[in-house]
Amino acid sequence: MPVLAASSSPSDRTYSVAVGVILAFAALEILAITIHFGAEYRSERATLEATKAPATPASVKPGATPAPPQASAPSSAALSASDRLLKEANVLRERGDTANALARLQDASQRDPRNPQVLAEMAAIYESIQLYDRSNETWRKIQDLGPSAGPLYELADMKLRVGAAATPSPGVPMDTAGKPLDAEGLPEGSIFGVINIETEQIPDPDAETNFRLKVGIKKRDGVAIDHSKLRIMVLFYDSLDNDKVVSTDADVNYEWMNPKHDWVESNPETLIVTYLRSKTHAITSEAALSAAAAAVTPGKNSSRSKKRSESAANTESIDPGRRQYLGYVIRILYDDKLQTVRADPPRLINDAPNSSLSP
């Protein structure tokens, strides 16, 4: 039985090869396009995500939770203890209570000795009560701080070169230290004050100078006092050869007009101070006069006398010049706080040798 064999023509084989080649090239081109656009898509997406992602602070590690923003610091730091005391002192000084203001400033100065603001306020108060020695000493401390004290350094330099002087406001009644007087006639913030001083000459043919001062001392109404805390100082001064100011060597006597002088039966109380220089009075050394400063303690009824010639009896040195009465300085202190100052002539507060005397 005959067998039939199938066979393809040459044209069919050529067509098949051509189609296969075309399909292969098409597949390769599709693959290349896919790879190309896939790479561009990944690049653009990475760039877009980078622009949208928030910047991570350098101090925060990636993946860590950022700390919440801190509250802004206050505009000014808390006041130090010295600054607080300085502020309190300024308030007290504006009220006229210079004694307590000075106590606050002294406390502040101990805490911060190089605070120029504290030192300047202290110097100003010393100057206002005409304690110029202490004022200059305090200005000098500011000067020692140098330019670091700022404008206060220049002010201190000027004060030390030109000198300080009390400048009371026109029309405002003040005591000699420049403290304003209130409606009671007392320095603002003080418990005691001097409301009047009378000078009475005593005829005495044997005396070169003989007079008495009647000092009216008033207590503030409604204020309880302790007699033991009150101190009244009356210092007399002479001129030596009409030039030098020296403590007097005359005989000085103190006596209260009211034996009780407790400011209960009468207010004010009057202290009588007598100054006596006889024509034959020996001129004594100034070195022996320091013990003659008046310190009157209320509560004692007996009069008190200072015999300057007796206190100098054991000294050998004597002043060779001629003495004449010059004036006085009166200071009243209560509880170791200066209440008021009176002086005649006023320059004695600055010129007298014991003008800065205080507890």
Side-chain angles (χ1 to χ4, degrees):
M1 175 177 194
V3 177
L4 296 177
S7 62
S8 299
S9 65
S11 60
D12 291 338
R13 290 194 296 270
T14 302
Y15 175 79
S16 298
V17 172
V19 171
V21 171
I22 292 173
L23 292 175
F25 276 107
L28 290 174
E29 186 173 356
I30 292 173
L31 179 61
I33 292 173
T34 302
I35 294 173
H36 172 73
F37 284 102
E40 287 187 352
Y41 173 77
R42 287 193 299 271
S43 177
E44 290 176 357
R45 184 172 181 179
T47 303
L48 182 61
E49 290 178 352
T51 57
K52 290 183 178 180
T56 303
S59 59
V60 180
K61 296 182 179 180
T65 303
Q70 298 293 329
S72 58
S75 58
S76 60
L79 293 177
S80 65
S82 61
D83 290 334
R84 175 179 55 79
L85 291 167
L86 174 60
K87 186 176 180 180
E88 294 176 0
N90 289 335
V91 173
L92 290 169
R93 186 183 181 190
E94 290 175 0
R95 295 175 181 172
D97 190 357
T98 55
N100 286 321
L102 190 57
R104 296 289 198 286
L105 292 170
Q106 289 171 343
D107 189 3
S109 180
Q110 291 178 355
R111 296 170 183 267
D112 188 4
R114 298 181 62 83
N115 189 322
Q117 291 288 347
V118 171
L119 295 173
E121 287 295 328
M122 289 179 63
I125 290 182
Y126 284 136
E127 183 178 324
S128 69
I129 60 177
Q130 298 191 2
L131 294 179
Y132 293 130
D133 289 343
R134 292 192 177 184
S135 175
N136 290 337
E137 178 184 352
T138 309
W139 286 121
R140 197 168 290 111
K141 290 180 180 179
I142 298 176
Q143 190 182 51
D144 292 340
L145 295 177
S148 63
L152 292 177
Y153 170 74
E154 299 177 359
L155 178 61
D157 183 68
M158 182 196 70
K159 289 287 187 179
L160 293 172
R161 284 188 291 103
V162 177
T167 55
S169 303
V172 178
M174 298 188 177
D175 66 3
T176 313
K179 297 179 68 175
L181 304 181
D182 57 20
E184 292 189 53
L186 306 182
E188 295 179 0
S190 296
I191 299 176
F192 286 91
V194 176
I195 62 169
N196 66 285
I197 302 174
E198 297 179 7
T199 303
E200 179 183 349
Q201 297 293 331
I202 302 175
D204 188 347
D206 296 327
E208 180 181 288
T209 306
N210 190 352
F211 70 94
R212 64 171 61 99
L213 292 180
K214 293 183 178 180
V215 184
I217 302 172
K218 183 179 179 181
K219 179 187 74 70
R220 187 171 297 281
D221 293 336
V223 177
I225 63 169
D226 181 353
H227 290 156
S228 64
K229 296 182 178 181
L230 178 62
R231 187 181 181 194
I232 303 168
M233 306 177 68
V234 182
L235 305 176
F236 286 100
Y237 297 94
D238 300 330
S239 62
L240 184 61
D241 292 334
N242 296 319
D243 182 21
K244 186 178 180 182
V245 178
V246 295
S247 299
T248 189
D249 63 349
D251 297 335
V252 181
N253 182 75
Y254 309 90
E255 185 175 5
W256 290 96
M257 182 174 291
N258 177 10
K260 291 185 178 180
H261 51 275
D262 54 6
W263 285 271
V264 175
E265 295 180 354
S266 61
N267 187 20
E269 298 283 5
T270 301
L271 175 65
I272 302 175
V273 188
T274 303
Y275 175 102
L276 172 61
R277 177 185 293 281
S278 65
K279 292 179 179 179
T280 59
H281 188 84
I283 302 176
T284 60
S285 67
E286 185 180 349
L289 302 179
S290 58
V296 182
T297 303
K300 296 181 180 180
N301 296 334
S302 61
S303 63
R304 181 174 181 178
S305 176
K306 290 290 185 181
K307 298 291 186 179
R308 308 266 173 147
S309 57
E310 293 177 4
S311 66
N314 296 328
T315 62
E316 297 180 357
S317 59
I318 58 175
D319 291 330
R322 168 71 175 172
R323 283 177 177 262
Q324 288 183 330
Y325 169 76
L326 177 60
Y328 61 83
V329 176
I330 301 173
R331 282 189 174 85
I332 298 181
L333 302 103
Y334 183 76
D335 197 17
D336 291 337
K337 296 180 176 62
L338 183 66
Q339 303 294 298
T340 189
V341 179
R342 291 296 182 95
D344 183 29
R347 68 181 181 88
L348 280 176
I349 294 183
N350 192 35
D351 296 345
N354 292 329
S355 62
S356 297
L357 186 61
S358 63

